[in-house]
Amino acid sequence: MAVIVFDQVCFTYSPKSPFHSDALKGVDLSFSSTDFLALVGHTGSGKSTIIEHLNALLVPTSGEVRIGEYISSSNKKRRSKKLGYLRRKVGLVFQFSENQLFEDTLIKDVMFGPRNFGDSPEAAHLKAVEALGEVGLPEEYYERSPFELSGGERRRAAIAGVLAVGPKLLVLDEPTSGLDPEGAREMMDLFKKIHERGTGIVLVTHDMDIVLGYAKKVAVVDNGKIAMTGTPAEVFSKDLKPYGLEKPLVYQTIDILNAHGYSLSYQYENLDDLAKAIKEGKKQ
Amino acid sequence: MSADLLGRYVPYGSFVHKMDPRAKIAALIALMVALFLGYANYSMSFVMAGLCLVLFMALAFISHTSFLSILSSMKSLWFMALVLLIVYCLIPRSAGGTLAFYIGSLPIYYESILDALRILVRLFLMIELTMILTATTKPLDLTFALEWYMKPLGYIGFPSQEIAMTISLALRFIPTILEDVERIMRAQESRGVDFKHGKISTRIRAFVSLLVPIFVSSIMRSEELADAMGARGYDPRGERTRYKVLTFRWVDALELLFCLAFMGGCIAISVTAFDLFGLFGLTVL
């Protein structure tokens, strides 16, 4: 188990130019590589910038990020050299990841990552088959062009492409955006399964119901800083309006019911549980 | 987020920025003519080039065009310089010249080297000038100006409006596609691609992993855009109005006049084969 620590991380895009913008203004955050962490915050709060620090695509302007033994620091002397090692251990799935496919067959595309990290074609093939099985793409798809697949299937293929590398920490930027509710649920169940297998997950999302249902830890990002961390129940019981966030549907329902004379606590994870509890409460 | 992109529009409020883009294009042409005129001899050519350099540098300074980006444009000129030098040395000189030295049995003349140098200086100054133009003018304003210049061609059936629309759409999508490029690059980097190092063959492969997704997403985007325009009733032949109307102010005329005067002066010097050094009885090159 490795620990990931953000220590006073600041990051500025295009410093000293008219396009100068401070994306991160002193982020302090720590979590373990076995966590299921959700990063929430409104658009432009710096979530995506944070996750790009996790595999050193971005290097802090000041402060440092420690990912296990790897140090990504603004101080060049402290910076670790083994970038390839880090990229292997931390897999990043970007928003609209279905657009990153390019090979002529699906299996080749999934093999691309392992091959880049120096695996033999045979080893890469094995890893690709395993990853494709994990995301639930059937064998008859392997020799097809990735562009023949549907949007959801392409996204799964892209995720398989990252999983095939064998990351210890999987970072996901809005993996459910643009999917229908059923597709989103299937996708999240996949990540749940991957997490239970021992891979850490960092999830960026706008869907608070997903956060409540799947994440074990939540960090609220606001204006380039971490405003709050805690379990989903802790975070959602607070007022999130100042950060431009809504509560999950169940919590909103509980708030409305409480305003009309009920006294319910935030202990239910979905509307069914809440409905059941109210029904049983009525019987008693 | 690539602020260091060469020749990208940078919003400042200098008078160069505020100048009407039509006047700016005309001024650019006038200054380029001045730059590429032939003068009495090499010394005069370089003196005039120096004069242009002073003027352009002043313009660059006033308009906040970064000297660093101008200098970095010189980096790519190195290869050009080499090619030019080789070409000029290989071309046989009918007029003869002053022999400098031999490479093997090939005679090299001073004139060949000076010719190459003169072209190079002019190219550099031309690049500087166009960089000032693109750094101070919004791409869309440039298209409007180009469209305005193409208007007369409309009478002979030239589709100036369609072309202007195509150009402005292309310009509009440059930042969007750049964003795509950055995202895909980072995604592929996360999959272990190294775009900057490695053998040529692996770098070509890395490039393919970027090119294919960008190509596919651009084509899809263009289809969507065409549909969206069609759905809102875009008619390529219709008379179009502008949200932003270009206005030609008297300052624009003044600035343009100055550039034209500069060109006029240069033409006069060129036509009369004026030789500053000859006046003092000096003969150099």
Side-chain angles (χ1 to χ4, degrees), chain B residues 214-261:
Chain B
I214 293 302
F215 209 74
V216 170
S217 74
S218 303
I219 288 175
M220 289 202 328
R221 194 166 265 138
S222 71
E223 270 184 2
E224 281 165 17
L225 182 75
D227 286 345
M229 284 169 75
R232 281 180 283 173
Y234 173 71
D235 173 14
R237 306 204 180 286
E239 186 63 32
R240 302 194 66 75
T241 53
R242 290 244 176 279
Y243 172 64
K244 198 181 161 193
V245 181
L246 297 176
T247 44
F248 201 87
R249 300 162 305 152
W250 63 271
V251 225
D252 297 319
L254 217 63
E255 283 154 0
L256 180 57
L257 215 60
F258 172 76
C259 292
L260 288 173

Side-chain angles (χ1 to χ4, degrees), chain A residues 19 52 99-100 103 109 116, chain B residues 8 186 188 191 205 213:
Chain A
F19 304 99
E52 280 172 35
N99 293 335
Q100 74 189 42
E103 286 279 17
D109 204 287
N116 281 328
Chain B
R8 170 176 164 170
R186 281 176 296 184
Q188 306 298 29
R191 290 211 276 168
R205 217 175 140 57

Side-chain angles (χ1 to χ4, degrees), chain A residues 98 148-157 179 187:
Chain A
E98 60 269 28
E148 287 172 25
L149 307 180
S150 75
E153 286 166 344
R154 285 222 305 278
R155 192 171 293 181
R156 280 169 183 276
L179 295 181
M187 192 65 87

Side-chain angles (χ1 to χ4, degrees), chain B residues 34-98:
Chain B
L35 183 60
F36 277 87
L37 283 171
Y39 296 103
N41 51 36
Y42 288 112
S43 312
M44 271 313 285
S45 288
F46 286 117
V47 167
M48 293 309 288
L51 203 63
C52 289
L53 179 74
V54 171
L55 179 69
F56 298 172
M57 278 298 179
L59 280 176
F61 182 75
I62 292 165
S63 63
H64 299 269
T65 309
S66 89
F67 287 102
L68 209 70
S69 65
I70 292 175
L71 281 180
S72 64
S73 77
M74 263 175 79
K75 258 193 306 195
S76 49
L77 270 181
W78 271 119
F79 181 69
M80 191 79 181
L82 206 68
V83 171
L84 273 174
L85 202 62
I86 292 170
V87 167
Y88 271 97
C89 287
L90 287 181
I91 293 173
R93 298 190 68 85
S94 54
T98 326

Side-chain angles (χ1 to χ4, degrees), chain A residues 13-14 17-19 52 55 57 87 92 94-96 99-103 109 112-113 116-117 147 161-162, chain B residues 1-3 8-12 183-184 186-193 205-206 208-209 212-213 216-217 220:
Chain A
Y13 285 106
S14 317
S17 85
F19 304 99
E52 280 172 35
N55 71 356
L57 281 174
R87 297 258 161 98
L92 227 71
F94 282 86
Q95 217 174 341
F96 307 116
N99 293 335
Q100 74 189 42
L101 307 175
F102 72 99
E103 286 279 17
D109 204 287
F112 181 66
N116 281 328
F117 288 112
F147 299 105
V162 174
Chain B
M1 295 288 172
S2 344
R8 170 176 164 170
Y9 174 71
V10 192
Y12 283 106
R183 209 185 51 239
I184 303 280
R186 281 176 296 184
Q188 306 298 29
E189 273 177 320
S190 303
R191 290 211 276 168
V193 175
R205 217 175 140 57
V208 169
S209 77
V212 174
V216 170
S217 74
M220 289 202 328

